[in-house]
Amino acid sequence: MPTLSIPDRDSGPSGALPLTFDRVFRPWRYAVSHSELRLRTVDTEAGDLIEAAFFGVVGMKLKSLYQSLAIDYADRAQTAEILRFADIKEKSAHHVRCLTLHSTGDSGFIACLSFVVRSYPSGSDPDRTDNSALIARSNR
């Protein structure tokens, strides 16, 4: 099996992970045509709505519900496993962000080109408003 050159993590405030939320999340939407995945909080009584959007998704392993959620960059071993799972070749590996999703029970992952996590005021619709606060995003 060929050895992959594993890209380094993003650094700086915009790519700062891990993020941990003591909130209930679920996969909200996956658009095959755009390779875009969105996870959203579903515990509306907790206040603001949090949405994590992943763009250029090339691989994922998800649960149907996360009682809490921690998003982090995969370590080198996890990254190699995720890139193999997603069938990403070495020449393209440096473009891919490998992220782990931790909750109670099994972990999951997302391999994507970029991501953004935003908070929206209670009662607003993220699909119809720009009124959001940036929590984190990938540097590229």
Side-chain angles (χ1 to χ4, degrees):
M1 177 157 293
T3 303
L4 288 174
S5 173
I6 305 302
D8 289 329
R9 297 177 175 207
D10 283 356
S11 60
S14 63
L17 292 181
L19 290 173
T20 303
F21 302 98
D22 191 21
R23 301 278 303 274
V24 180
F25 280 78
R26 76 176 197 85
W28 190 257
R29 177 179 300 134
Y30 178 69
V32 175
S33 60
H34 297 294
S35 300
E36 183 178 310
L37 171 68
R38 293 179 183 269
L39 304 178
R40 283 189 186 170
T41 53
V42 293
D43 51 351
T44 55
E45 68 281 352
D48 61 337
L49 183 145
I50 300 170
E51 180 178 77
F54 306 90
F55 307 99
V57 175
V58 294
M60 62 184 150
K61 176 184 168 189
L62 300 173
K63 293 174 62 170
S64 60
L65 192 70
Y66 295 90
Q67 292 299 327
S68 62
L69 181 63
I71 304 170
D72 199 1
Y73 291 107
D75 64 28
R76 286 176 118 23
Q78 292 168 322
T79 296
E81 182 181 333
I82 293 167
L83 292 173
R84 274 193 299 277
F85 174 86
D87 199 26
I88 302 300
K89 306 301 181 221
E90 184 171 5
K91 68 180 181 178
S92 302
H94 67 282
H95 295 292
V96 179
R97 303 286 169 264
C98 293
L99 307 171
T100 59
L101 305 174
H102 296 281
S103 187
T104 54
D106 292 334
S107 297
F109 63 81
I110 298 173
C112 62
L113 300 181
S114 64
F115 68 90
V116 64
V117 181
R118 294 187 173 277
S119 174
Y120 295 86
S122 181
S124 64
D125 181 354
D127 294 327
R128 296 191 176 142
T129 184
D130 291 332
N131 186 17
S132 67
L134 177 66
I135 296 173
R137 71 170 178 245
S138 55
N139 287 335
R140 291 184 239 157

